[in-house]
Amino acid sequence: MLIQPIDYFLAFWFAIAAASTLYVGFDQYRNNPEPVVMKWGFILVTLYMGPLGLLLYVLADKEPRPGEHEAFTRPLWKQGVGSTIHCVAGDATGIILAAVITATLGLPMWLDLIVEYLAGFAFGLFIFQSLFMKSMMGGTYWENVRKSFLPEFVSMNFMMAGMAPVMSFLMMGRDMRAMEPTELLFWGVMSIGVIAGFTLAYPANVWLVARKLKHGLMTQRPQAVKPDQETRHAHDGASDMAEEGHAGHTGKAAPAKAQARASHAAHPAQQGGHSSHAAHGSGGHRMETDATTPQIASLSVVSLIALAIGMMAPANWLNLTLSAREVGGAIMPPGMIMDRDTPAAAMRDMAAVDPRLVSFKADPAAQGGAVLEPRIENGVKVFDLEASVIRWSILPGVEVEAFAYNKQVPGPTLRVTQGDRVRINVTNRLPESTTVHWHGLDVPNAMDGPAYVTQKPIEPGETFSYEYTVEQSGTYFYHTHDHVDRQQALGLYGALIIDPKNPADAITADLEYTVQLQEWLKREGLTFPSMPMDGGFPNFFTINGKSYPATETINMKVGQLLKIRFVGSNTTAIHPMHIHGGPFQVVAVDGATLPQTARYTADTVNVGPGQRFDVLWRALRPGKWLLHCHIPHHTTNNNVEEKGGGGLTMVIDVN
């Protein structure tokens, strides 16, 4: 599922990469006079680098017209491309294979980088060069390993110096789907890493070719020759050596028996008047470098320094102790500050809800907080709650991925009477564990709900039954108590209204309305849990799961009395809730009814997270009277007013 704009770009990129690779493969085998190992070098690099690989092939290696490959590939910059291609094809293949394995095994990022380096170096040296080129290079396998070690070491160091920081910063940036091999983003990061590695390794490869420490591009044409016929080879223009070369290899060229299958450059003039001859008794061709020992040593040291910087520098900004198993797939909110000390748990808690986990899309007009009728079993009132991931509309055109009870936000209202025996069966359909806490209620400790404190969390697919006798009355609410900052912020809460056993103790009114407050963070098409920290501040606010102007309207008549139950089901801020059209009387706080002498008149009450206030408001005059939070930003939608308000705003329409 494509859930971010980058996913669509990557899908397009890899489609172009596939087409480019098919073209290069077809043209190499049909038209280009090159050994098989170089054909596969360009094919693999084009697969990794997409159209950039195709561009390199066309500009540096593709024979423009029949018989011109030798002259076309002679310039040093093209020979450097060929040398780098062979290095990248082998090394990148080893690196990518190692990255997939280490991510699957859940190795930390710092160890992942080390394993990738060793795998890339081993694959490039022992397989792509010494093994695949043995028949062309002559000599024994271990002779080729020895001769190839130094140029491969230098080239690999520069390549990994380019790839390592790219992989570190992009994989462990905001969108850590890049750590998962099952995601397009992982392969996109690998592609960018290969491009960076190629770029950094290219200058060193040009120097290695110029100093005859490595071979570059080559030409191989089938041709019948006499046993004693000399075979000519095209190398780069800087060395004017007519050697049969290949990217990433040094030492001996093709053995004598291979000369019967290949001819490089039909005319000595195409090679600056030079030609090469078989080294008697060696079965191949030798290439003598003019590089001095200090030059080679200096280049090797610089490559090691570059490698060290590329491998270790990211640890100053990133927590490289984390693995794909811990944070892979998480997408962090914009503006979140992540550093080398940020723990995996913090990243998981702040991560966006994966839209692919949504199991239900609510109707845009659906309302939350509907009263849930219980069934009676042996005198016990039984309620069933199911927590799942849904898509919920808070405004026309604005939807959030929410954690919800019974497919609604807020969850259903549970209304019981003081003295009732209740049982609440909670089934977890979330991708993570959860629990339920009965906020403010006096219940047996085993029924209280804090994860790992009073109970084992309810794992995905499990059901847990909470059972207790209700001994209090008033306004309460229930909410998750496992990763509360994440799950409650995403919608796992609901009202719990307990009527007094003695009806005379009830505070009655003509109408009653429950106001459950909530904050949301919706950015870049994703829903994040809102939190009072960098990157976590909310930009949408809801009353009973809706933002104004989608909030409900309370319809009344002049003289009627309205009872409002304010519930601080939110997790981030204190909301000063204010009603226009006259003051109200505060009659209950946190579920406890205030005695007559303690009740007070106000027009604003500060509702903090977890608090509840019952207030009585009488409609004195006709008109549309606002009920809203008195923090102006909380009455906007993504900092924009709509129809005179937004967020924590609703209308009381008095006729």
Side-chain angles (χ1 to χ4, degrees):
M1 179 180 177
L2 307 179
I3 63 175
Q4 288 285 277
I6 186 65
D7 299 334
Y8 294 91
F9 171 78
L10 288 175
F12 173 77
W13 173 265
F14 287 123
I16 298 299
S20 300
T21 304
L22 288 174
Y23 172 80
V24 170
F26 177 82
D27 192 71
Q28 279 276 25
Y29 275 93
R30 185 177 180 87
N31 302 315
N32 215 44
E34 204 161 42
V36 172
V37 69
M38 280 306 299
K39 293 181 188 295
W40 276 100
F42 271 99
I43 290 171
L44 288 172
V45 169
T46 306
L47 181 65
Y48 303 150
M49 296 174 55
L52 295 181
L54 172 62
L55 181 65
L56 289 173
Y57 172 65
V58 172
L59 294 182
D61 187 53
K62 175 178 167 56
E63 186 173 49
R65 284 167 291 276
E68 296 184 3
H69 189 260
E70 296 85 346
F72 179 71
T73 60
R74 183 180 301 153
L76 177 59
W77 75 268
K78 295 182 181 180
Q79 292 294 318
V81 168
S83 178
T84 313
I85 286 289
H86 195 229
C87 165
V88 169
D91 298 347
T93 299
I95 291 171
I96 293 172
L97 290 175
V100 172
I101 294 171
T102 54
T104 303
L105 294 176
L107 299 183
M109 193 66 181
W110 67 267
L111 185 55
D112 179 299
L113 293 175
I114 294 174
V115 173
E116 288 176 16
Y117 174 82
L118 294 175
F121 184 73
F123 194 92
L125 176 63
F126 295 111
I127 298 178
F128 210 82
Q129 296 194 53
S130 300
L131 180 62
F132 290 175
M133 293 295 293
K134 182 177 181 299
S135 61
M136 300 185 67
M137 297 301 296
T140 68
Y141 172 79
W142 291 109
E143 284 177 341
N144 288 324
V145 169
R146 179 177 59 82
K147 293 177 182 295
S148 301
F149 181 86
L150 180 61
E152 168 63 18
F153 175 73
V154 170
S155 189
M156 175 63 190
N157 286 349
F158 280 113
M159 181 182 170
M160 193 63 183
M163 285 194 72
V166 168
M167 292 188 295
S168 298
F169 283 105
L170 294 185
M171 283 185 166
M172 305 194 73
R174 282 189 46 237
D175 194 340
M176 287 184 286
R177 292 179 302 151
M179 297 183 76
E180 293 288 352
T182 56
E183 297 281 357
L184 273 178
L185 200 56
F186 173 91
W187 300 101
V189 169
M190 287 295 141
S191 182
I192 296 174
V194 171
I195 293 170
F198 184 99
T199 302
L200 201 59
Y202 175 72
N205 274 271
V206 170
W207 187 86
L208 291 169
V209 169
R211 301 277 65 80
K212 306 172 191 174
L213 285 165
K214 289 185 73 174
H215 291 278
L217 294 170
M218 62 192 112
T219 305
Q220 179 172 299
R221 300 184 187 278
Q223 173 177 320
V225 296
K226 297 178 182 180
D228 59 346
Q229 182 177 351
E230 177 184 285
T231 303
R232 294 174 179 172
H233 304 269
H235 191 44
D236 60 273
S239 64
D240 279 336
M241 289 292 294
E243 290 277 358
E244 178 182 341
H246 66 94
H249 224 292
T250 184
K252 298 181 179 180
K257 63 180 181 180
Q259 297 175 22
R261 300 193 301 268
S263 174
H264 299 256
H267 305 286
Q270 291 181 313
Q271 304 175 51
H274 296 277
S275 62
S276 65
H277 302 267
H280 297 291
S282 69
H285 298 270
R286 298 186 181 277
M287 185 168 62
E288 297 297 331
T289 180
D290 59 358
T292 65
T293 299
Q295 289 176 331
I296 296 173
S298 297
L299 183 62
S300 300
V301 170
V302 169
S303 75
L304 281 172
I305 293 173
L307 176 65
I309 293 173
M311 296 279 276
M312 294 188 293
N316 191 57
W317 295 277
L318 303 171
N319 187 347
L320 297 183
T321 66
L322 303 181
S323 70
R325 187 170 296 173
E326 293 177 293
V327 294
I331 304 178
M332 299 298 102
M336 177 184 176
I337 296 177
M338 295 190 301
D339 55 32
R340 63 190 182 210
D341 300 318
T342 305
M347 296 182 185
R348 291 195 301 267
D349 273 5
M350 290 195 71
V353 179
D354 190 337
R356 294 169 292 191
L357 298 175
V358 170
S359 61
F360 175 79
K361 181 177 180 179
D363 186 277
Q367 297 290 328
V371 175
L372 180 62
E373 296 297 330
R375 64 180 185 276
I376 308 299
E377 295 181 359
N378 299 321
V380 178
K381 289 185 176 179
V382 180
F383 300 89
D384 294 317
L385 294 179
E386 181 181 85
S388 62
V389 184
I390 71 168
R391 184 163 289 120
W392 182 260
S393 174
I394 61 174
L395 272 171
V398 180
E399 294 179 329
V400 294
E401 284 77 47
F403 286 8
Y405 292 119
N406 293 17
K407 299 180 174 63
Q408 56 187 287
V409 180
T413 297
L414 307 183
R415 189 149 195 165
V416 298
T417 301
Q418 185 180 20
D420 283 346
R421 184 73 177 176
V422 299
R423 182 185 308 128
I424 303 99
N425 301 317
V426 180
T427 301
N428 183 13
R429 304 294 182 196
L430 300 171
E432 57 194 70
S433 65
T434 191
T435 65
V436 178
H437 170 61
W438 317 97
H439 191 97
L441 284 193
D442 180 10
V443 298
N445 188 246
M447 298 292 105
D448 195 41
Y452 300 105
V453 178
T454 64
Q455 73 170 94
K456 175 183 176 293
I458 310 169
E459 297 296 335
E462 293 183 349
T463 298
F464 184 87
S465 295
Y466 297 90
E467 186 168 340
Y468 49 84
T469 299
V470 179
E471 298 178 353
Q472 299 151 272
S473 64
T475 303
Y476 298 88
F477 76 110
Y478 62 94
H479 61 84
T480 175
H481 220 290
D482 185 10
H483 301 97
V484 190
D485 55 346
R486 173 176 177 79
Q487 295 184 4
Q488 189 175 338
L490 290 173
L492 286 185
Y493 62 91
L496 176 56
I497 309 300
I498 306 172
D499 297 315
K501 189 172 185 179
N502 182 1
D505 294 335
I507 299 175
T508 60
D510 298 306
L511 296 89
E512 182 180 300
Y513 193 83
T514 301
V515 172
Q516 298 183 70
L517 308 175
Q518 180 65 303
E519 304 107 357
W520 298 88
L521 177 56
K522 179 80 174 184
R523 293 287 189 198
E524 299 180 354
L526 297 172
T527 304
F528 304 87
S530 64
M531 299 179 188
M533 61 184 296
D534 292 317
F537 290 104
N539 59 340
F540 288 94
F541 307 86
T542 59
I543 292 176
N544 297 344
K546 301 293 181 182
S547 297
Y548 181 85
T551 51
E552 291 183 290
T553 296
I554 301 174
N555 295 299
M556 297 180 63
K557 295 184 181 300
V558 172
Q560 285 187 318
L561 187 65
L562 172 66
K563 180 179 181 179
I564 299 176
R565 302 176 188 263
F566 288 110
V567 180
S569 46
N570 55 297
T571 59
T572 297
I574 295 174
H575 297 290
M577 300 305 296
H578 169 63
I579 304 178
H580 291 202
F584 50 75
Q585 185 181 43
V586 179
V587 296
V589 177
D590 291 342
T593 300
L594 299 176
Q596 287 287 350
T597 56
R599 297 176 186 180
Y600 61 95
T601 299
D603 61 27
T604 303
V605 61
N606 291 328
V607 183
Q611 288 188 300
R612 289 92 60 217
F613 291 89
D614 292 3
V615 306
L616 297 176
W617 182 85
R618 190 173 297 278
L620 301 176
R621 292 179 176 82
K624 294 182 178 180
W625 306 103
L626 290 183
L627 182 159
H628 67 94
C629 176
H630 220 279
I631 297 176
H633 177 62
H634 298 173
T635 57
T636 65
N637 301 323
N638 202 17
N639 208 35
V640 175
E641 286 192 358
E642 297 181 47
K643 298 182 179 179
L648 300 180
T649 305
M650 59 185 303
V651 173
I652 303 174
D653 193 355
V654 179
N655 292 311

